[in-house]
Amino acid sequence: MKILFCSSEVAPFIKTGGLGDVASALPKALAKMGHDIRVVMPLYASIDKKFINTAVSKGSFNVNLAWRNQYCGLYELVQDGVTYYFLDNLYYFDRQKIYGHFDDGERFAFFSKAILESSVITNFSPDVIHCNDWQTALVPVFLDKFYRSVDNYTYTKTVMTIHNIKFQGQYDMFLAGDMLGLDENSQRLVEFNDCCNFLKGGIECSNMVTTVSETYAHEITYPYYSFGLHTILNERSYKLRGIVNGIDTDVYNPQTDKALAVNYSARSIGRKEKNKKALCEMLNLPYNENTPMYAMVTRLTDQKGMDLVCDRLEEMLSADLQLVILGEGDWKYESLLSAMADIYPNKLKVIINFSTDLASKIYAGADFFLMPSQFEPCGLSQMVAMRYGTIPIVRETGGLVDTVEPINPVKKTGTGFTFKTFNSYDMLDAIWRSFGAYFDKDLIKQVQKNMLKQDFSWENSAKKYLEIYEEIINN
């Protein structure tokens, strides 16, 4: 099968969140299964030059956005069995940050159309084009309106994956004609609440819409989770599916992770404690094997439940526990947490930054991983934590429901502590339950073994995507 995978970010070239991980791991899994998978992304100026210097220039072409006529270069790099295409335009992609610019609508409309125009150089005729989030949601729209007569796309089908429905690409309706070049009749495809909504266009025109967990696919048909798009999704529910993301089990592997002080496996789980001791020494925290360590590796935003954490932080720190937080985000959370860390230097450590090396050390060193999200389309952190034998504490939403089984302390089954409502006292109750369980060493060891037996690899998820590809190709 020939698949063109479109994403605004792809690890290891550039990554701001879970999308970058997915766009890296899923194509690799499909390539291992013998499929011709090609990934296309923008050539950002911030991509490490070691990648670009090994890429090969394949030529250039022009891209029309209504009355605009823009240059686009194409570079090719083959790595891990996957062919990567980088689309080059300095005006759109030579920026310090990849998102958050006044002209993001124009930038990613250009990217979406350039993806389809690139076939003049690649001569690649995909069976399926797999689009991800609003940045590539216009690809199915442009395909249906402008490219169906092109030989390479006559029978091409499209999949639109929603990683986070909060971000939809909403702009003034004027752009639908002036920038997208759609006629008055076609503009209804992207029109929603008097705005030009890129994601809505992708939902309307794609052959299948997927989300990154089964529960999230159900949740976004309700107003609380949909950010306005529940009516469209209910109308198109016949083509809405949920597939839980995997993680790269080669990267996230406590047996081989070079960032760890001591490597370990399910059989040598006792060695995990040495990583806790090493982490305490590194962060200048007192080490005590009878003091449970909680951790968060997260964006400091309201979506990630930081309101709940800040509301109950002093009550948490009144107990004999430690909390390590790694991340950056909203200023109000950064400043409050930093101030609290100064007050409780032996209990709370806050690192306003991000480092994959330090993240691995925290995943391995902590006893519990706190993830009280307001909504979580899939979530990767809880799976990474379990991969390292660190017990997650999660709210029952989205992919957290699908990946974390509540612990039964009597039967010693399950993989984490959960709570239902987005309420700080419910979160605190789950924390106190985990605190009490920490001293039942037999229970903790069994739960750790339960977690380490879980299969979070991309193989299962990739097979489900292939089933969807085959379904739409054959219909």
Side-chain angles (χ1 to χ4, degrees):
M1 191 180 301
K2 294 183 290 185
I3 306 153
L4 183 62
F5 195 92
C6 315
S7 179
S8 59
E9 57 182 84
V10 181
F13 310 112
I14 200 154
K15 167 188 159 183
T16 66
L19 172 58
D21 287 320
V22 174
S24 172
L26 177 55
K28 288 179 187 176
L30 292 169
K32 287 180 180 178
M33 294 177 181
H35 300 279
D36 185 355
I37 173 80
R38 308 191 186 188
V39 179
V40 57
M41 65 174 293
L43 181 61
Y44 300 109
S46 50
I47 293 176
D48 194 315
K49 293 298 184 288
K50 71 181 181 182
F51 297 116
I52 303 308
N53 291 339
T54 56
V56 178
S57 174
K58 305 298 286 188
S60 64
F61 51 92
N62 285 353
V63 178
N64 294 316
L65 285 179
W67 52 268
R68 301 163 187 80
N69 188 24
Q70 297 280 24
Y71 160 89
C72 184
L74 186 144
Y75 290 81
E76 180 182 286
L77 175 66
V78 179
Q79 187 170 289
D80 298 323
V82 179
T83 299
Y84 296 93
Y85 296 132
F86 300 91
L87 301 185
D88 174 40
N89 180 291
L90 291 176
Y91 175 70
Y92 290 128
F93 302 132
D94 189 7
R95 314 281 178 99
Q96 287 186 334
K97 294 184 177 181
I98 68 174
Y99 307 129
H101 301 282
F102 76 96
D103 60 345
D104 274 359
E106 182 177 341
R107 295 172 68 225
F108 291 107
F110 166 83
F111 176 51
S112 294
K113 204 163 190 185
I115 288 169
L116 294 166
E117 285 285 353
S118 67
S119 68
V120 300
I121 291 178
T122 64
N123 199 32
F124 184 56
S125 181
D127 299 308
V128 175
I129 299 178
H130 190 152
C131 308
N132 294 273
D133 276 348
W134 73 267
Q135 294 92 344
T136 57
L138 290 175
V139 172
V141 180
F142 289 150
L143 176 63
D144 284 349
K145 293 302 166 184
F146 302 128
Y147 291 91
R148 279 299 176 193
S149 59
V150 177
D151 289 342
N152 285 332
Y153 299 122
T154 304
Y155 302 106
T156 298
K157 300 298 178 70
T158 52
V159 174
M160 178 75 237
T161 295
I162 302 171
H163 296 263
N164 191 335
I165 203 169
K166 181 177 181 180
F167 306 103
Q168 300 175 9
Q170 299 178 74
Y171 300 97
D172 192 286
M173 197 59 205
F174 173 73
L175 271 63
D178 180 75
M179 187 175 67
L180 307 189
L182 298 174
D183 59 39
E184 289 189 13
N185 186 53
S186 299
Q187 288 179 19
R188 63 179 177 78
L189 295 170
V190 295
E191 184 176 4
F192 189 73
N193 287 344
D194 298 321
C195 290
C196 176
N197 188 309
F198 289 15
L199 186 59
K200 190 257 187 178
I203 293 169
E204 291 280 28
C205 294
S206 58
N207 298 104
M208 190 70 75
V209 179
T210 69
T211 69
V212 289
S213 70
E214 293 179 11
T215 297
Y216 192 59
H218 175 72
E219 287 177 340
I220 60 174
T221 60
Y222 292 90
Y224 181 82
Y225 291 99
S226 71
F227 292 89
L229 286 179
H230 55 280
T231 53
I232 302 300
L233 289 165
N234 276 291
E235 290 171 3
R236 304 289 180 264
S237 60
Y238 65 89
K239 62 176 181 180
L240 178 62
R241 307 283 175 81
I243 299 174
V244 174
N245 284 337
I247 59 174
D248 192 327
T249 52
D250 292 329
V251 173
Y252 300 112
N253 187 348
Q255 297 183 60
T256 59
D257 193 333
K258 294 180 180 179
L260 307 192
V262 179
N263 293 109
Y264 57 93
S265 65
R267 292 184 176 181
S268 58
I269 192 66
R271 302 178 70 185
K272 175 178 164 61
E273 188 67 22
K274 294 182 180 179
N275 286 286
K276 178 179 177 179
K277 185 176 182 180
L279 182 62
C280 286
E281 292 175 357
M282 178 182 175
L283 299 179
N284 198 27
L285 288 170
Y287 168 73
N288 187 333
E289 64 178 354
N290 293 318
T291 299
M293 178 182 286
Y294 293 74
M296 299 182 74
V297 178
T298 184
R299 295 196 311 275
L300 305 181
T301 64
D302 53 358
Q303 182 214 325
K304 295 299 184 179
M306 295 313 300
D307 281 337
L308 307 190
V309 175
C310 291
D311 284 350
R312 302 274 75 86
L313 188 56
E314 283 196 286
E315 290 172 69
M316 286 178 60
L317 297 176
S318 67
D320 182 21
L321 60 79
Q322 294 171 328
L323 174 61
V324 176
I325 300 176
L326 172 66
E328 52 190 358
D330 294 350
W331 177 85
K332 63 179 179 179
Y333 301 124
E334 290 184 357
S335 56
L336 187 149
L337 292 170
S338 298
M340 290 294 287
D342 291 337
I343 297 172
Y344 296 92
N346 292 330
K347 290 191 170 187
L348 176 63
K349 190 68 176 181
V350 178
I351 303 100
I352 306 298
N353 204 330
F354 185 76
S355 159
T356 54
D357 183 83
L358 181 54
S360 287
K361 288 178 168 62
I362 292 172
Y363 282 122
D367 299 298
F368 300 101
F369 190 87
L370 181 58
M371 203 169 175
S373 303
Q374 182 182 11
F375 63 93
E376 195 65 62
C378 177
L380 301 178
S381 296
Q382 82 280 8
M383 290 187 275
V384 176
M386 287 189 278
R387 179 82 170 139
Y388 283 79
T390 298
I391 302 172
I393 303 168
V394 303
R395 188 172 97 79
E396 295 177 12
T397 183
L400 303 180
V401 173
D402 296 338
T403 56
V404 180
E405 179 188 350
I407 290 172
N408 182 324
V410 177
K411 296 182 179 179
K412 297 183 180 180
T413 58
T415 56
F417 293 92
T418 69
F419 63 100
K420 287 187 179 295
T421 60
F422 190 66
N423 178 287
S424 62
Y425 286 105
D426 281 357
M427 177 197 72
L428 191 63
D429 174 73
I431 291 170
W432 291 151
R433 282 186 278 128
S434 69
F435 185 85
Y438 177 73
F439 300 97
D440 185 344
K441 298 302 181 184
D442 290 338
L443 173 62
I444 294 298
K445 284 183 179 180
Q446 185 57 53
V447 171
Q448 288 175 327
K449 290 178 181 178
N450 296 345
M451 293 188 294
L452 290 167
K453 290 178 182 177
Q454 302 295 307
D455 182 8
F456 295 121
S457 69
W458 266 103
E459 185 176 351
N460 293 331
S461 301
K463 288 178 181 177
K464 292 180 180 178
Y465 276 111
L466 283 173
E467 289 173 3
I468 285 178
Y469 298 160
E470 289 169 357
E471 179 181 341
I472 60 177
I473 288 171
N474 294 328
N475 287 337

